[in-house]
Amino acid sequence: MSDTPQITIARVGREAHETLVNLFELYLHDMAEWFVFDTHPNGRYDYDLARHWDAGDRVYFASLGEIPIGFALVGAAPDWLDDPTANDVAEFFVVRRHRHSGVSDALARAVWDADPGRWRVRVFEGNLPAVPFWRRIVGSYSNGTHSEERLLNNGKHWAVFSFTNAPT
């Protein structure tokens, strides 16, 4: 029997707001490299996550034992896919120590498995490590049935992956 904590992935609610805020600060720190924004005078990014809860977006945590090590924030994508039931991976993050360990793959797959249907995943092309990750995991998950397009939004190029998964 092993004492090594296991990775768990679970949907969380507003009770996890403070933890999400804390993880989001780390996420924004990483994203600032590509999106050129700074902290506020208080030293925090202070992103308002309440709008995601209010919109009914779903949050999933990846945890190692009791320690949260990543999150996925999932919203609706009807404006992008002309489908009111379509889903969008709005934000996705795994702390640096646990990247390249399989946690990101497990988190993405668990999120997609939780909500069968049409999906959209977008990634800023300047985020060089993320593009091949998403290309690989979406391709593998969808058995190559996904589409990939390149979009220009606010002067930045994005890779956008779309696929449909069937209920398991």
Side-chain angles (χ1 to χ4, degrees):
M1 182 171 184
S2 171
D3 290 335
T4 305
Q6 297 296 310
I7 300 293
T8 58
I9 297 166
R11 184 172 170 183
V12 298
R14 283 187 188 256
E15 77 285 349
H17 180 75
E18 182 179 358
T19 303
L20 180 61
V21 166
N22 293 338
L23 286 172
F24 221 82
E25 287 290 312
L26 300 172
Y27 169 69
L28 292 172
H29 175 264
D30 284 358
M31 292 294 105
E33 178 177 351
W34 300 293
F35 290 100
V36 191
F37 51 80
D38 291 307
T39 61
H40 295 276
N42 67 359
R44 297 180 54 86
Y45 293 101
D46 288 330
Y47 182 85
D48 180 16
L49 287 161
R51 67 186 180 104
H52 291 286
W53 295 116
D54 294 344
D57 292 350
R58 297 167 317 277
V59 176
Y60 296 84
F61 278 176
S63 299
L64 180 61
E66 298 295 317
I67 307 300
I69 59 173
F71 68 83
L73 201 156
V74 176
D79 295 342
W80 302 96
L81 296 176
D82 297 324
D83 178 350
T85 65
N87 298 293
D88 175 48
V89 177
E91 312 292 349
F92 189 93
F93 174 75
V94 172
V95 297
R96 289 178 187 239
R97 179 173 181 264
H98 296 284
R99 293 178 192 168
H100 310 289
S101 68
V103 172
S104 299
D105 289 36
L107 178 56
R109 290 175 178 279
V111 167
W112 296 330
D113 285 349
D115 287 302
R118 292 186 69 198
W119 280 91
R120 176 176 168 266
V121 178
R122 59 204 149 79
V123 57
F124 171 55
E125 288 182 352
N127 183 345
L128 297 179
V131 175
F133 163 75
W134 286 110
R135 189 171 284 135
R136 178 185 57 76
I137 191 67
V138 169
S140 171
Y141 185 85
S142 70
N143 293 316
T145 63
H146 67 287
S147 67
E148 179 180 346
E149 61 183 313
R150 187 176 195 222
L151 297 178
L152 181 66
N153 186 9
N154 293 326
K156 296 188 183 306
H157 285 99
W158 295 76
V160 180
F161 304 93
S162 300
F163 65 94
T164 301
N165 63 346
T168 54

